[in-house]
Amino acid sequence: MRSTGNGIEILNLVKQYRNHLIPINEEHFRQKPSHSDWSISEIYHHIFDASILSLKALEYLSEGIEEKGKETWAAKIIFLLGRMPGKFKAPRVILNRVKSISIAESNQLIDSFETKLTFTLKLVDLNSTGRVKHPRLGALTTKQWLKFIEMHLKHHLMSSFVILICSV
């Protein structure tokens, strides 16, 4: 059975991210609130880069490429709560990819994610029991990967919105 699963909710969240870009100027977008905190630009890059990587896991599952294992206890708790904790440290492999990008580049990254999401949702089988490993959460199913993308978008939506409001 092919289904869009969380696709509509994910696309609604992406629309919110896109709308947040409208009132902001390039300077505020790239400005870091402190030396150790990410700028909105870096948050956007992280969110959509990680989301595109998550779609790659879904593509693997749709192709029958699977890995052994189960989700971690942290993943079980996150999925049970339906949200990520306030300060959830991204895996080093993801942190090393974060970079500052322009508003135009952010829109291009969002476009790329939406295109890949729409394509991938046509391929996935929500009833599949296959799993592909997440670097921190263990081996996840198709439904879990989609839920992770949704939760990750929600998690950062609030932080980017707070930075935007505080910087205006």
Side-chain angles (χ1 to χ4, degrees):
M1 177 181 123
R2 305 280 183 235
S3 174
T4 58
N6 303 34
I8 293 169
E9 178 64 23
I10 291 169
L11 289 171
N12 286 335
L13 290 166
V14 171
K15 184 177 181 178
Q16 290 179 55
Y17 275 99
R18 201 181 285 282
N19 288 340
H20 281 199
L21 290 175
I22 294 169
I24 193 165
N25 66 40
E26 198 72 42
E27 181 183 342
H28 281 128
F29 188 65
R30 290 182 182 252
Q31 184 178 7
K32 292 172 76 77
S34 73
H35 178 67
S36 60
D37 291 325
W38 287 352
S39 66
I40 299 171
S41 165
E42 291 166 318
I43 292 170
Y44 269 69
H45 180 268
H46 163 70
I47 292 161
F48 290 100
D49 182 57
S51 294
I52 289 170
L53 290 174
S54 295
L55 291 177
K56 194 70 174 160
L58 289 171
E59 287 176 33
Y60 288 153
L61 287 168
S62 74
E63 294 167 1
I65 301 169
E66 301 176 10
E67 297 175 311
K68 294 191 185 291
K70 293 280 187 183
E71 68 272 20
T72 63
W73 280 104
K76 289 179 183 187
I77 292 168
I78 288 168
F79 289 122
L80 179 68
L81 294 174
R83 64 180 175 81
M84 298 173 75
K87 279 287 190 178
F88 188 77
K89 188 96 168 152
R92 171 109 6 241
V93 65
I94 299 298
L95 289 174
N96 290 340
R97 296 174 60 94
V98 174
K99 63 182 181 179
S100 179
I101 57 176
S102 69
I103 293 173
E105 290 169 317
S106 291
N107 277 310
Q108 290 169 352
L109 197 56
I110 292 170
D111 289 343
S112 177
F113 172 70
E114 285 180 317
T115 300
K116 289 177 185 193
L117 175 66
T118 302
F119 175 78
T120 304
L121 288 173
K122 293 175 184 173
L123 301 176
V124 297
D125 179 356
L126 292 177
N127 295 320
S128 170
T129 58
R131 293 174 179 268
V132 171
K133 288 183 183 172
H134 178 279
R136 169 119 335 121
L137 301 178
L140 305 179
T141 65
T142 299
K143 285 182 184 177
Q144 289 173 320
W145 274 107
L146 286 168
K147 188 64 178 172
F148 169 74
I149 293 169
E150 179 186 332
M151 288 188 301
H152 188 241
L153 287 166
K154 285 180 180 177
H155 172 75
H156 285 291
L157 187 61
M158 199 57 200
S159 62
S160 64
F161 183 70
V162 168
I163 293 169
L164 176 60
I165 294 300
C166 293
S167 66
V168 173

